[in-house]
Amino acid sequence: MSTMDNREPKKDKPYQIVIDQVKKEILTGNLKPGDRLPGEREMAEQLGISRNSVREGLRILENMGVTTSQHGAGHYVSLCFDEPMTETLSLIYTMKGLVRDDLTQFRYCLEREAMYLAMSNASERQKRQIEEHLDALLRAQTEKDRYVHDMALHMTLIEASGNDYLITAYRALTNVIEYYIPVFRGKIIEGMKSNDKLEDAHRTLVMGVMNGDLSLGLEGLDRHFEYIRLFQ
Amino acid sequence: MSTMDNREPKKDKPYQIVIDQVKKEILTGNLKPGDRLPGEREMAEQLGISRNSVREGLRILENMGVTTSQHGAGHYVSLCFDEPMTETLSLIYTMKGLVRDDLTQFRYCLEREAMYLAMSNASERQKRQIEEHLDALLRAQTEKDRYVHDMALHMTLIEASGNDYLITAYRALTNVIEYYIPVFRGKIIEGMKSNDKLEDAHRTLVMGVMNGDLSLGLEGLDRHFEYIRLFQ
DNA sequence: AGAAATTTGTTCGTATGTATA
DNA sequence: TTATACATACGAACAAATTTC
């Protein structure tokens, strides 16, 4: 038998080799979203590991949202990265114990920054969308409708910031609210009942965005969260 | 109790069965941090799937930070969850395309909120740590030392906020800087050269934290990032 | 349309290094 | 030291889905 290929201090686990390899190919631009990865057997031979190990690595990448697998076809680089990530996030959050106040505080922090950035980065289309969601929100008859348009309004504001890090973080946050703490959502909806104070906060907030008036927008935001904090 | 969101009557993949099972055991309190999982063979037989499938599932759980594996011993429920998550987060961030300005802007946003929260949440120990890092930073002789203590100072401030969501997001950000863009780090270090303006910003920032003076702390923070933005 | 080739999905068997009693 | 249980890793085989000719 040949001598052990005693490489280095670091004995990388086989599946980690796969992960690092794919990461590298993506980061160097060699692999782009939508591209197909080499076959499992090919990677196994190329990296000098077994197919089972390749599969372990690919499963992890898939779970991280980096790749997707298609039975009979192959593995592909994902087009959208943030969906499965929120699953990981939410599990961790759940295990660490959700702190509702902290979640709201963090959400406020993100929206505040978004308001600031939106002043210079919001497109006309986004401004229009925000206004439309406000209209729909004010006209909404059911609590569910109010919830939907409220969320959409805030999400559009976040997107108008143009900052991907901020957008990703906010998406993960709302996902946690949406899928993992129905109680939380219920309380929000409960507090969403037609209410002058809340409606006024939204109007002020949107007016600030439309007119490029930062302090007005922030005032609306503050009033909004002031109200939210009452219901938690 | 309504269980997992089975949107479709979809036949669960074998490795997903493992993940769901372990999740369930943990969430019901049947498995606690530090506990040992059943052996791979045992789980395979119990769940009616193969060992390789069990392994794929366990690898994913390990990657999510839920479990750890020990060669020859077994799989255990993790005691600390957030490290692998920040790795996932940072990878996703990187994949989405790095925009240096956006990264700095987001970092500022988080630190600003942390400053606000630290005013009421920082422990005496954390305050002392921040002061110590400032001292070490001012006395540092090498650029690397300056970088280390600079990072540590800011990280302690973030931790002093007491908000886990914020802390997690910031960890992911610094991870991106540390591991994925050495160029970025290089520029930061370059801008770190002994400089009165930067030192003063740090002093002001820390003084604000120590004295519970929010506006002073924010002023230091603003000056700090003003300086950072010059070097990017 | 249909058959063959390709690829992922899943399983079993086996060998090896490690931890523990 | 020995024995046992365990994770690690590899290779081969077949099933199922997809692509290709």
Side-chain angles (χ1 to χ4, degrees), chain B residues 176-196:
Chain B
V176 174
I177 298 175
E178 289 262 1
Y179 293 104
Y180 291 93
I181 33 177
V183 183
F184 189 76
R185 181 182 160 178
K187 292 222 174 183
I188 289 181
I189 292 181
E190 188 178 337
M192 193 82 58
K193 282 174 184 166
S194 183
N195 181 292
D196 289 347

Side-chain angles (χ1 to χ4, degrees), chain B residues 123-133 210:
Chain B
S123 68
E124 287 308 315
R125 186 167 173 275
Q126 285 166 330
K127 285 185 183 177
R128 200 167 356 106
Q129 281 184 346
I130 290 177
E131 210 169 24
E132 285 169 4
H133 284 304
M210 300 305 291

